[in-house]
Amino acid sequence: AADLEIARAVQHRLLPQQLPHIDSLDYAVKYQPAGQVGGDYYDFLPALDGSTVFVVADVSGKGISAAILMATIQSFFRSRRPEEFGDLVTLLTSLNRLFLESSPVEQYATLFLMRYSDRTRKVDWVNCGHTSPLLVKSDGGLEQWDSSATVLGMFPGWSGRERQGILGAGDTLLVFSDGLTEAADPNGEEFGMDRLTSTRASWPHRTPAQLVESIAGDIRQHADGRLADDLTLLALRGRAVNEQRRDRWQRLSPPDPMSRSIGSGM
């Protein structure tokens, strides 16, 4: 129990402690591990030309072994120079090689990696077998950003493709781990993608922070309060440039170090 508590505290420090301000974007994240430690990972990292890189990853399995591999992914991204995020495919090829060397043969990771330009609102992204993020446009249209690459740590010959999108003012992008869609009720019925998309009409009426809390509440209610897998929710909303805050960074102080909800522009 003491070792698990130490691991919990260490993993908390591996997650972002500061939230970068982005003029054209509001965003919030909700993270809740199923146990003392988890295998989900999220991060916000600086790239060149005022761009920001967002990462959401999910290591297969649970507990300490998944948490150790989550730390491997975190250390890889945190050690990158901003210019290395200019080529996402090359970057992920290197991460796949590292993951193969560090993980047992039965473990792998799914990952969604995107680079967002504050100047142009352009998004460059790669989806490595991760649950498809959902983009709800300001006009009500819906897009799924499906897999464009193989999972990490399973195949020596990793292959992937970088794709592009736009996150305009009023558009909402939801990135999440499969702990959301696979959350099951006492009868074994999963929450599923259809149940999630059926709520999208309400998304524009909530801030990103309110949105992740609302969806997490729906998951807990559906699963009768029992999470069988780690849950990560990242909501991003394009905003008008004149909706700017004066502070560049917001210090994060979540009351519970491993069940946290943090946001920008609130």
Side-chain angles (χ1 to χ4, degrees), residues 24-208:
S24 61
L25 199 66
D26 289 330
Y27 60 102
V29 64
K30 175 76 175 179
Y31 171 63
Q32 188 169 346
Q36 286 282 80
V37 292
D40 281 9
Y41 166 64
Y42 66 88
D43 217 337
F44 322 117
L45 302 156
L48 293 179
D49 303 322
S51 296
T52 302
V53 170
F54 295 84
V55 188
V56 175
D58 182 2
V59 176
S60 64
K62 301 178 182 66
I64 291 293
S65 63
I68 291 172
L69 293 175
M70 169 271 195
T72 300
I73 296 175
Q74 187 265 3
S75 64
F76 174 86
F77 280 111
R78 290 288 181 92
S79 64
R80 299 305 101 187
R81 301 184 304 274
E83 57 268 26
E84 292 183 79
F85 292 108
D87 187 338
L88 301 183
V89 170
T90 297
L91 188 70
L92 289 169
T93 300
S94 298
L95 176 56
N96 182 70
R97 187 180 309 113
L98 173 65
F99 208 81
L100 277 170
E101 296 169 353
S102 306
S103 63
V105 293
E106 69 275 8
Q107 282 196 290
Y108 61 91
T110 68
L111 180 145
F112 180 78
L113 178 66
M114 61 174 268
R115 182 179 61 244
Y116 175 78
S117 170
D118 193 21
R119 181 175 56 85
T120 66
R121 298 182 183 268
K122 181 184 175 185
V123 179
D124 299 289
W125 58 271
V126 181
N127 183 343
C128 304
H130 198 76
T131 308
S132 301
L134 298 175
L135 176 66
V136 175
K137 305 287 287 184
S138 59
D139 61 6
L142 177 67
E143 296 179 10
Q144 284 192 199
W145 289 4
D146 296 330
S147 179
S148 64
T150 52
V151 299
L152 297 165
M154 184 171 286
F155 307 109
W158 182 89
S159 63
R161 189 162 56 127
E162 188 174 306
R163 294 181 175 171
Q164 288 75 41
I166 294 290
L167 194 53
D171 295 349
T172 303
L173 179 66
L174 187 69
V175 186
F176 47 95
S177 59
D178 62 9
L180 189 160
T181 51
E182 296 179 3
D185 66 13
N187 296 319
E189 181 180 352
E190 294 185 347
F191 190 82
M193 188 71 81
D194 289 343
R195 188 176 275 108
L196 175 63
T197 57
S198 69
T199 68
R200 69 181 186 273
S202 66
W203 294 6
H205 307 293
R206 294 186 170 101
T207 66

Side-chain angles (χ1 to χ4, degrees), residues 240-258:
V241 176
N242 59 0
E243 300 172 2
Q244 295 183 10
R245 286 171 27 198
R246 285 173 295 180
D247 54 316
R248 181 65 181 171
W249 296 86
Q250 181 184 5
R251 183 68 183 177
L252 308 179
S253 301
D256 181 344
M258 291 304 290

